[in-house]
Amino acid sequence: MVAFPNPAKAGQTVMLSQKPANCYNFGSWSSPDVTITNNSFVMPAKDVTVTASYTIRQYTVSVAPNNPSYGTVTGSNTYDCDSTATLTAEPNTGYTFVGWYESGSQVSTTATYTFTVNDNHTLEARFNAIPYTITVNKNQAAGGSPTASPNPATYEQTVTLSANPASCYNFSSWSSSDATLASTTASVTTFTMPAKNVTATANYTIKTSTINASAGAGGSISPSGQTTVDCGSSKTYTITPSAGYVIDSVIVDGINVGAVPSYKFDNVTGDHTIVANFRLKYIQGQIRVYDYTTPVGYMYSHQDFVNYFNSNQPAGTRTLNYISFGERRSDTYWVERMEGYIYISNSATYWFYTDADDNSEILIDGQLVAASYGDCAKPDGAGRTHIINAIYLSTGYHSITIIQSDIGGRESIDNRYSSTTNNPAYMTDIPMSIIYSDP
């Protein structure tokens, strides 16, 4: 404060001036000795005391969070100039403090911010949600492709878990010790993200299929019975015929895959069946012959011969290496039975013909298809009867039986077949190349 002039004479005008400090404002003049007007007074004839009154400046500090749900702040107040303001920021669960900002610029990164107040201030405490990571594991490496969305996730955000099992696996359950799942058995489930990282595991079980394997008489299949096979894996079966047998067919799911010694199921994804069938090992160009000679008593008919033959074990067996069946014998009262298999290469209707000096029959698969009845079937001189019956034969092996009987003398037999005519004159002799015996 300055008074001019000072000292002053009585009657002089004294001017007062003041210069407040930085943090103060001038208020007023006061004096018990004079009246001050417009910063001046008239000097009386005495000393004068003048007082200048000042007030301290005050400023407003306003603070707020960028989102009230993210955190809390303190420090909003009115502060004297040059006093110290202390601001605090406390993030809520799942959030982190980023910094104090004023007019868009960061002024501090510490949660407790202290500064000297010399102006009005408006500050914002900025908080960010903490991103937490979800680690999704699986108990089977090939079980599926489990996912979490969103990932990372923030506190209290809803996270969706999807199991996405692979084609050969079934989803079993979810497990986690870090979060509470809405469902542990649903392949798609949710949980509310806690304020920490989360690990969840998708549990899978592999799908299985059943293969039923069986074998007919004459061999085996390994493994046999019911076998459980993991989805996507392979299983091989070995088919082994017994002595004297060969593989006839292997039926897989109702389809004949041939006479294969082994079969492999690859990439199994469903149930299957496999059946191994066997047959006797046919020997090409041979036929078994059973003969029994000179029955006791006189045979009056071909059937008498056959009945007697069937009621007595054959005296022996032998193998013919030809098919003319021109088996000439001089025995009296005899019957001969030839058994084997005939191979039919083309499915069709066939006719068979047989002719013998006395009597003969041809049976295919046990069915009478041709006969020649002469001396052993009728009284001598009564003539000869031929029977020719049609039969449909599919491709493959069929049993053939030829029975010839005789009442004496040297005999012969003629056997023919055809798939185009029932006229014996145009039929073909049965060749040895399609006749088989088994061991």
Side-chain angles (χ1 to χ4, degrees):
M1 182 185 76
V2 176
F4 181 82
N6 188 13
K9 296 176 180 179
Q12 254 186 317
T13 299
V14 177
M15 300 299 298
L16 299 175
S17 63
Q18 49 78 30
K19 186 176 182 181
N22 288 336
C23 282
Y24 289 85
N25 292 318
F26 172 74
S28 64
W29 297 102
S30 63
S31 174
D33 301 313
V34 292
T35 299
I36 302 170
T37 303
N38 294 328
N39 297 318
S40 66
F41 64 90
V42 177
M43 188 68 183
K46 64 177 181 179
D47 291 337
V48 172
T49 299
V50 177
T51 301
S53 298
Y54 297 92
T55 57
I56 192 167
R57 294 176 188 172
Q58 288 189 316
Y59 298 102
T60 300
V61 176
S62 299
V63 295
N66 59 331
N67 188 313
S69 64
Y70 293 176
T72 58
V73 295
T74 64
S76 289
N77 211 335
T78 299
Y79 292 87
D80 289 342
C81 180
D82 266 351
S83 65
T84 299
T86 299
L87 311 182
T88 62
E90 182 67 30
N92 289 339
T93 301
Y95 293 86
T96 185
F97 175 73
V98 177
W100 291 102
Y101 286 79
E102 187 170 16
S103 300
S105 298
Q106 189 180 71
V107 295
S108 177
T109 58
T110 59
T112 300
Y113 174 42
T114 300
F115 63 95
T116 299
V117 179
N118 51 25
D119 203 348
N120 293 323
H121 294 275
T122 300
L123 295 102
E124 180 183 68
R126 293 187 183 179
F127 301 93
N128 280 346
I130 300 172
Y132 295 103
T133 300
I134 302 109
T135 300
V136 184
N137 296 325
K138 49 189 174 181
N139 69 327
Q140 301 263 9
S145 303
T147 61
S149 179
N151 188 11
T154 58
Y155 176 64
E156 294 187 330
Q157 196 169 11
T158 298
V159 177
T160 299
L161 296 175
S162 300
N164 303 315
S167 59
C168 275
Y169 287 82
N170 290 316
F171 171 74
S172 175
S173 65
W174 291 101
S175 58
S176 177
S177 61
D178 300 317
T180 301
L181 308 183
S183 172
T184 58
T185 57
S187 62
V188 178
T189 190
T190 60
F191 67 90
T192 301
M193 192 69 189
K196 62 178 180 178
N197 294 330
V198 169
T199 297
T201 300
N203 300 301
Y204 304 93
T205 57
I206 194 167
K207 295 177 182 178
T208 60
S209 300
T210 299
I211 300 177
N212 284 297
S214 60
S220 62
I221 187 170
S222 179
S224 64
Q226 189 177 91
T227 302
T228 300
V229 182
D230 287 345
C231 178
S233 64
S234 301
K235 191 67 179 178
T236 299
Y237 285 81
T238 302
I239 298 95
T240 305
S242 302
Y245 287 82
V246 294
I247 301 169
D248 183 52
S249 64
V250 176
I251 309 299
V252 176
D253 298 331
I255 299 174
N256 189 345
V257 297
V260 294
S262 66
Y263 186 85
K264 183 180 181 182
F265 291 95
D266 283 316
N267 190 28
V268 176
T269 57
D271 295 340
H272 295 281
T273 60
I274 180 170
V275 179
N277 299 306
F278 304 91
R279 62 169 174 79
L280 289 168
K281 184 185 294 182
Y282 303 131
I283 301 176
Q284 187 178 20
Q286 296 185 354
I287 194 167
R288 294 167 297 168
V289 179
Y290 301 85
D291 57 301
Y292 194 96
T293 62
T294 316
V296 176
Y298 186 81
M299 300 290 118
Y300 291 96
S301 71
H302 173 72
Q303 193 59 47
D304 288 336
F305 279 91
V306 174
N307 290 341
Y308 186 86
F309 183 90
N310 289 337
S311 64
N312 293 270
Q313 293 295 321
T317 62
R318 55 196 175 87
T319 300
L320 297 177
N321 289 316
Y322 47 87
I323 195 58
S324 69
F325 302 131
E327 185 74 0
R328 299 183 177 276
R329 307 176 59 99
S330 59
D331 304 312
T332 302
Y333 313 135
W334 58 269
V335 63
E336 183 174 67
R337 184 175 69 198
M338 292 162 275
E339 293 180 345
Y341 300 88
I342 183 170
Y343 182 76
I344 299 300
S345 59
N346 297 307
S347 299
T349 298
Y350 286 83
W351 291 269
F352 287 81
Y353 169 80
T354 184
D355 184 66
D357 183 46
D358 287 342
N359 295 273
S360 60
E361 292 177 336
I362 298 179
L363 292 88
I364 302 294
D365 295 333
Q367 178 180 336
L368 180 68
V369 294
S372 171
Y373 296 131
D375 292 345
C376 293
K378 303 178 181 182
D380 288 343
R384 182 176 304 282
T385 299
H386 286 94
I387 295 175
I388 299 175
N389 293 326
I391 184 172
Y392 181 83
L393 298 178
S394 60
T395 300
Y397 293 89
H398 299 268
S399 66
I400 181 170
T401 302
I402 302 173
I403 302 173
Q404 180 182 7
S405 58
D406 177 63
I407 60 172
R410 300 176 67 85
E411 305 300 333
S412 64
I413 187 171
D414 181 19
N415 299 290
R416 304 177 187 179
Y417 83 131
S418 174
S419 62
T420 58
T421 180
N422 63 355
N423 187 339
Y426 298 102
M427 291 185 180
T428 302
D429 289 339
I430 299 176
M432 281 303 292
S433 61
I434 66 168
I435 296 297
Y436 295 78
S437 70
D438 53 52

